[in-house]
Amino acid sequence: FKETTCCGSADTVADTERKVFQFLESLSTVKDEMVKLTAKLVLARARSSDLESVKKLNCWGSELTDVSVFRQMPNIEVISLSVNNITTLQDFRFCQNLQELYVRKNCIAELSEICYLKDLPKLRVLWLADNPCETADHDKYRMTVLKTLPNLQKLDNTIVTAEDVNRAIEVGEDLKLPVTEKVVLLENGGGRSTSPTDQDSDPQQSAIAVTLEETNKIREQLGLKPLPAEKYTPIQTRVSPSLSKGRNANILSAVLALVKELDHESLETVQHAVKNRLDSF
């Protein structure tokens, strides 16, 4: 009887150890996976009916890696995303009303990422500390940030003075926007080329190319993979003569091409955005 009890105890310990190991392994797997902040989560957290009406959002300590949903939130004013796994600030460049951004303790490696925030006219508070981009030379780090973002009133929970900004202009480093494919497309107006070769190309092919670029631009904002050129078939749409040669026609065609690929959640987001847009006219 004692041997059976002893064996039973050993089996229990072994089983417990196995379950603990599996649990830890599952945690590691989850940690390695992308954690995306979705429109549905934003609306639930903010208790709002549409993304454009959200003014404040707090997702502290949520292990987020993908926050591209902010590209659809131009009116957000305060974003709190400290203690996550964010690696870039480029998604915040679309938030033109952003006033306060809290992203301390994330995974932002390059200080040049702050260049994505240069064109945010209302940004006054930035908490970037405890990221890999915060160098050992804290004074140099602070001066470089303030030289790039001279309108800040508070950086890393420390008030910014006029003297700080003046000194930053003198001793801070000049940063350049990270060079990525997405940035190149945006800086070139959605990827349009103005080379002589493209100007001399077939007008119909040029129109298709522009529409494909618009399609992929929208796909990117929705978190979808770019559509290869060989798989793209432009949809023939009936548009008014005033729009047929304009950018609106290209965007319309791109949107219609995407609708069939969206899931229920994404379609609801589009529905809210369309309703708000129509109400604004």
Side-chain angles (χ1 to χ4, degrees), residues 72-89:
Q72 305 170 54
M73 301 172 64
N75 297 318
I76 188 82
E77 296 177 354
V78 180
I79 298 175
S80 213
L81 292 173
S82 295
V83 195
N84 281 287
N85 297 316
I86 299 168
T87 59
T88 180
L89 299 176

PDB file of all heavy atoms in Angstrom, residues 72-89:
ATOM      1  N   GLN A  72      -6.885  55.215 -38.153  1.00  0.00           N
ATOM      2  CA  GLN A  72      -8.292  55.520 -38.408  1.00  0.00           C
ATOM      3  C   GLN A  72      -8.881  56.397 -37.314  1.00  0.00           C
ATOM      4  O   GLN A  72     -10.089  56.547 -37.222  1.00  0.00           O
ATOM      5  CB  GLN A  72      -9.090  54.210 -38.483  1.00  0.00           C
ATOM      6  CG  GLN A  72      -8.560  53.203 -39.487  1.00  0.00           C
ATOM      7  CD  GLN A  72      -9.246  51.860 -39.342  1.00  0.00           C
ATOM      8  OE1 GLN A  72     -10.466  51.760 -39.372  1.00  0.00           O
ATOM      9  NE2 GLN A  72      -8.455  50.800 -39.174  1.00  0.00           N
ATOM     10  N   MET A  73      -8.018  57.013 -36.480  1.00  0.00           N
ATOM     11  CA  MET A  73      -8.500  57.781 -35.336  1.00  0.00           C
ATOM     12  C   MET A  73      -7.892  59.187 -35.336  1.00  0.00           C
ATOM     13  O   MET A  73      -7.068  59.519 -34.478  1.00  0.00           O
ATOM     14  CB  MET A  73      -8.167  57.040 -34.043  1.00  0.00           C
ATOM     15  CG  MET A  73      -8.773  55.654 -33.978  1.00  0.00           C
ATOM     16  SD  MET A  73      -8.214  54.668 -32.573  1.00  0.00           S
ATOM     17  CE  MET A  73      -8.855  55.618 -31.196  1.00  0.00           C
ATOM     18  N   PRO A  74      -8.291  60.033 -36.271  1.00  0.00           N
ATOM     19  CA  PRO A  74      -7.688  61.369 -36.393  1.00  0.00           C
ATOM     20  C   PRO A  74      -8.013  62.318 -35.246  1.00  0.00           C
ATOM     21  O   PRO A  74      -7.316  63.309 -35.047  1.00  0.00           O
ATOM     22  CB  PRO A  74      -8.259  61.885 -37.717  1.00  0.00           C
ATOM     23  CG  PRO A  74      -9.581  61.186 -37.842  1.00  0.00           C
ATOM     24  CD  PRO A  74      -9.341  59.804 -37.285  1.00  0.00           C
ATOM     25  N   ASN A  75      -9.057  62.029 -34.474  1.00  0.00           N
ATOM     26  CA  ASN A  75      -9.491  62.951 -33.426  1.00  0.00           C
ATOM     27  C   ASN A  75      -9.051  62.544 -32.023  1.00  0.00           C
ATOM     28  O   ASN A  75      -9.395  63.227 -31.053  1.00  0.00           O
ATOM     29  CB  ASN A  75     -11.018  63.084 -33.465  1.00  0.00           C
ATOM     30  CG  ASN A  75     -11.504  63.678 -34.771  1.00  0.00           C
ATOM     31  OD1 ASN A  75     -10.927  64.627 -35.287  1.00  0.00           O
ATOM     32  ND2 ASN A  75     -12.570  63.107 -35.329  1.00  0.00           N
ATOM     33  N   ILE A  76      -8.294  61.465 -31.913  1.00  0.00           N
ATOM     34  CA  ILE A  76      -7.814  61.042 -30.604  1.00  0.00           C
ATOM     35  C   ILE A  76      -6.897  62.119 -30.018  1.00  0.00           C
ATOM     36  O   ILE A  76      -6.076  62.707 -30.730  1.00  0.00           O
ATOM     37  CB  ILE A  76      -7.065  59.690 -30.710  1.00  0.00           C
ATOM     38  CG1 ILE A  76      -6.730  59.131 -29.323  1.00  0.00           C
ATOM     39  CG2 ILE A  76      -5.826  59.801 -31.570  1.00  0.00           C
ATOM     40  CD1 ILE A  76      -7.846  58.417 -28.677  1.00  0.00           C
ATOM     41  N   GLU A  77      -7.039  62.404 -28.727  1.00  0.00           N
ATOM     42  CA  GLU A  77      -6.259  63.464 -28.082  1.00  0.00           C
ATOM     43  C   GLU A  77      -5.255  62.932 -27.061  1.00  0.00           C
ATOM     44  O   GLU A  77      -4.164  63.502 -26.911  1.00  0.00           O
ATOM     45  CB  GLU A  77      -7.208  64.457 -27.394  1.00  0.00           C
ATOM     46  CG  GLU A  77      -8.124  65.192 -28.372  1.00  0.00           C
ATOM     47  CD  GLU A  77      -9.105  66.108 -27.668  1.00  0.00           C
ATOM     48  OE1 GLU A  77      -9.154  66.086 -26.407  1.00  0.00           O
ATOM     49  OE2 GLU A  77      -9.836  66.852 -28.363  1.00  0.00           O
ATOM     50  N   VAL A  78      -5.615  61.877 -26.372  1.00  0.00           N
ATOM     51  CA  VAL A  78      -4.719  61.320 -25.347  1.00  0.00           C
ATOM     52  C   VAL A  78      -4.605  59.813 -25.546  1.00  0.00           C
ATOM     53  O   VAL A  78      -5.614  59.104 -25.548  1.00  0.00           O
ATOM     54  CB  VAL A  78      -5.245  61.609 -23.921  1.00  0.00           C
ATOM     55  CG1 VAL A  78      -4.293  61.014 -22.882  1.00  0.00           C
ATOM     56  CG2 VAL A  78      -5.401  63.106 -23.704  1.00  0.00           C
ATOM     57  N   ILE A  79      -3.373  59.339 -25.726  1.00  0.00           N
ATOM     58  CA  ILE A  79      -3.119  57.909 -25.918  1.00  0.00           C
ATOM     59  C   ILE A  79      -2.170  57.417 -24.834  1.00  0.00           C
ATOM     60  O   ILE A  79      -1.076  57.950 -24.668  1.00  0.00           O
ATOM     61  CB  ILE A  79      -2.494  57.625 -27.301  1.00  0.00           C
ATOM     62  CG1 ILE A  79      -3.447  58.048 -28.413  1.00  0.00           C
ATOM     63  CG2 ILE A  79      -2.146  56.151 -27.437  1.00  0.00           C
ATOM     64  CD1 ILE A  79      -2.867  57.911 -29.809  1.00  0.00           C
ATOM     65  N   SER A  80      -2.592  56.396 -24.099  1.00  0.00           N
ATOM     66  CA  SER A  80      -1.781  55.818 -23.037  1.00  0.00           C
ATOM     67  C   SER A  80      -1.490  54.363 -23.373  1.00  0.00           C
ATOM     68  O   SER A  80      -2.354  53.508 -23.275  1.00  0.00           O
ATOM     69  CB  SER A  80      -2.565  55.899 -21.724  1.00  0.00           C
ATOM     70  OG  SER A  80      -1.738  56.078 -20.645  1.00  0.00           O
ATOM     71  N   LEU A  81      -0.239  54.096 -23.797  1.00  0.00           N
ATOM     72  CA  LEU A  81       0.141  52.746 -24.236  1.00  0.00           C
ATOM     73  C   LEU A  81       1.434  52.283 -23.574  1.00  0.00           C
ATOM     74  O   LEU A  81       2.181  51.491 -24.145  1.00  0.00           O
ATOM     75  CB  LEU A  81       0.311  52.721 -25.762  1.00  0.00           C
ATOM     76  CG  LEU A  81      -0.951  52.904 -26.604  1.00  0.00           C
ATOM     77  CD1 LEU A  81      -0.594  53.031 -28.078  1.00  0.00           C
ATOM     78  CD2 LEU A  81      -1.923  51.755 -26.397  1.00  0.00           C
ATOM     79  N   SER A  82       1.703  52.758 -22.383  1.00  0.00           N
ATOM     80  CA  SER A  82       2.918  52.353 -21.682  1.00  0.00           C
ATOM     81  C   SER A  82       2.881  50.874 -21.333  1.00  0.00           C
ATOM     82  O   SER A  82       1.804  50.275 -21.203  1.00  0.00           O
ATOM     83  CB  SER A  82       3.087  53.188 -20.412  1.00  0.00           C
ATOM     84  OG  SER A  82       3.302  54.547 -20.733  1.00  0.00           O
ATOM     85  N   VAL A  83       4.066  50.292 -21.213  1.00  0.00           N
ATOM     86  CA  VAL A  83       4.239  48.882 -20.843  1.00  0.00           C
ATOM     87  C   VAL A  83       3.557  47.968 -21.858  1.00  0.00           C
ATOM     88  O   VAL A  83       2.648  47.199 -21.537  1.00  0.00           O
ATOM     89  CB  VAL A  83       3.724  48.587 -19.410  1.00  0.00           C
ATOM     90  CG1 VAL A  83       4.248  47.234 -18.922  1.00  0.00           C
ATOM     91  CG2 VAL A  83       4.140  49.673 -18.437  1.00  0.00           C
ATOM     92  N   ASN A  84       3.958  48.090 -23.114  1.00  0.00           N
ATOM     93  CA  ASN A  84       3.507  47.207 -24.181  1.00  0.00           C
ATOM     94  C   ASN A  84       4.723  46.761 -24.993  1.00  0.00           C
ATOM     95  O   ASN A  84       5.855  46.857 -24.506  1.00  0.00           O
ATOM     96  CB  ASN A  84       2.479  47.928 -25.058  1.00  0.00           C
ATOM     97  CG  ASN A  84       1.090  47.955 -24.432  1.00  0.00           C
ATOM     98  OD1 ASN A  84       0.396  46.941 -24.385  1.00  0.00           O
ATOM     99  ND2 ASN A  84       0.673  49.111 -23.940  1.00  0.00           N
ATOM    100  N   ASN A  85       4.510  46.266 -26.200  1.00  0.00           N
ATOM    101  CA  ASN A  85       5.616  45.791 -27.044  1.00  0.00           C
ATOM    102  C   ASN A  85       5.647  46.504 -28.392  1.00  0.00           C
ATOM    103  O   ASN A  85       5.962  45.914 -29.421  1.00  0.00           O
ATOM    104  CB  ASN A  85       5.492  44.269 -27.255  1.00  0.00           C
ATOM    105  CG  ASN A  85       5.620  43.496 -25.957  1.00  0.00           C
ATOM    106  OD1 ASN A  85       6.488  43.782 -25.132  1.00  0.00           O
ATOM    107  ND2 ASN A  85       4.746  42.521 -25.750  1.00  0.00           N
ATOM    108  N   ILE A  86       5.323  47.783 -28.391  1.00  0.00           N
ATOM    109  CA  ILE A  86       5.281  48.579 -29.617  1.00  0.00           C
ATOM    110  C   ILE A  86       6.702  48.877 -30.089  1.00  0.00           C
ATOM    111  O   ILE A  86       7.565  49.236 -29.290  1.00  0.00           O
ATOM    112  CB  ILE A  86       4.515  49.888 -29.361  1.00  0.00           C
ATOM    113  CG1 ILE A  86       3.072  49.575 -28.930  1.00  0.00           C
ATOM    114  CG2 ILE A  86       4.512  50.770 -30.601  1.00  0.00           C
ATOM    115  CD1 ILE A  86       2.333  50.764 -28.386  1.00  0.00           C
ATOM    116  N   THR A  87       6.937  48.750 -31.387  1.00  0.00           N
ATOM    117  CA  THR A  87       8.277  48.953 -31.930  1.00  0.00           C
ATOM    118  C   THR A  87       8.408  50.197 -32.798  1.00  0.00           C
ATOM    119  O   THR A  87       9.519  50.570 -33.164  1.00  0.00           O
ATOM    120  CB  THR A  87       8.708  47.739 -32.770  1.00  0.00           C
ATOM    121  OG1 THR A  87       7.764  47.555 -33.843  1.00  0.00           O
ATOM    122  CG2 THR A  87       8.750  46.468 -31.920  1.00  0.00           C
ATOM    123  N   THR A  88       7.301  50.834 -33.145  1.00  0.00           N
ATOM    124  CA  THR A  88       7.354  52.011 -34.022  1.00  0.00           C
ATOM    125  C   THR A  88       6.302  53.039 -33.618  1.00  0.00           C
ATOM    126  O   THR A  88       5.284  52.688 -33.018  1.00  0.00           O
ATOM    127  CB  THR A  88       7.138  51.618 -35.493  1.00  0.00           C
ATOM    128  OG1 THR A  88       7.194  52.790 -36.323  1.00  0.00           O
ATOM    129  CG2 THR A  88       5.800  50.936 -35.684  1.00  0.00           C
ATOM    130  N   LEU A  89       6.578  54.295 -33.972  1.00  0.00           N
ATOM    131  CA  LEU A  89       5.636  55.384 -33.695  1.00  0.00           C
ATOM    132  C   LEU A  89       4.905  55.839 -34.950  1.00  0.00           C
ATOM    133  O   LEU A  89       4.147  56.803 -34.910  1.00  0.00           O
ATOM    134  CB  LEU A  89       6.394  56.575 -33.090  1.00  0.00           C
ATOM    135  CG  LEU A  89       7.120  56.326 -31.764  1.00  0.00           C
ATOM    136  CD1 LEU A  89       7.908  57.574 -31.354  1.00  0.00           C
ATOM    137  CD2 LEU A  89       6.134  55.955 -30.660  1.00  0.00           C
TER     138      LEU A  89
END
